[in-house]
Amino acid sequence: MPYSHRDAELLQQPIGYWSWAAYKAVVTRTRAALDAIGTTQPQWWVLAQVARAGTAKTRDEVSGILRGYLDTGPEAMESEIDETVAQGWITEDAEGRLALTAEGRAYHDRAAALQGELRAERHAGISDEEYLTTIKVLQRFIHHTGGHAWHH
């Protein structure tokens, strides 16, 4: 692929713009793909958290983990959890513990396969070493600017 500028010019490009542009491209593509199979990105996060849990997590635990994802916030996460229950993908017991239904497991597997395809698409031609360097550099930018990033 052609780059926007020669290397010497790229060194002068603002990280804020390019990190934003990458975020926008990745999130827009991800959300459109998930929408095409009938879900939202936050609903996918809920399904993934419940599906991957070794022991059942409560609504509060799942919401607490996810509310920091892309500035989603607690109210939005509660609504997304409610929607996964309404879709019949997850059940909630009296103590607030969430569990996948059979339909939810099948849907999670479908969405997980899509996420795998999207990851392969994003990572095409990018080595693990390049990816690791990119993530570490972005984390250093966050650290140097006093920012806070939290994931898992």
Side-chain angles (χ1 to χ4, degrees), residues 35-102:
D35 182 62
I37 65 165
T39 196
T40 66
Q41 189 176 35
Q43 289 166 16
W44 157 251
W45 299 333
V46 172
L47 287 170
Q49 285 295 318
V50 174
R52 296 176 188 154
T55 59
K57 291 183 180 180
T58 66
R59 170 185 282 267
D60 289 343
E61 289 170 326
V62 171
S63 181
I65 290 167
L66 299 177
R67 71 179 55 146
Y69 280 29
L70 303 182
D71 295 325
T72 303
E75 296 83 17
M77 279 318 310
E78 289 298 319
S79 175
E80 297 291 353
I81 292 170
D82 289 343
E83 186 58 28
T84 62
V85 172
Q87 290 286 346
W89 299 331
I90 291 178
T91 60
E92 183 174 10
D93 69 16
E95 287 79 39
R97 287 186 301 266
L98 304 174
L100 284 181
T101 64

Side-chain angles (χ1 to χ4, degrees), residues 6-40:
R6 290 182 293 240
D7 287 357
E9 295 167 319
L10 283 173
L11 287 170
Q12 301 305 311
Q13 290 292 302
I15 186 64
Y17 171 78
W18 289 105
S19 59
W20 169 83
Y23 158 83
K24 183 114 172 113
V26 170
V27 170
T28 298
R29 172 72 177 112
T30 300
R31 289 183 174 174
L34 288 168
D35 182 62
I37 65 165
T39 196
T40 66

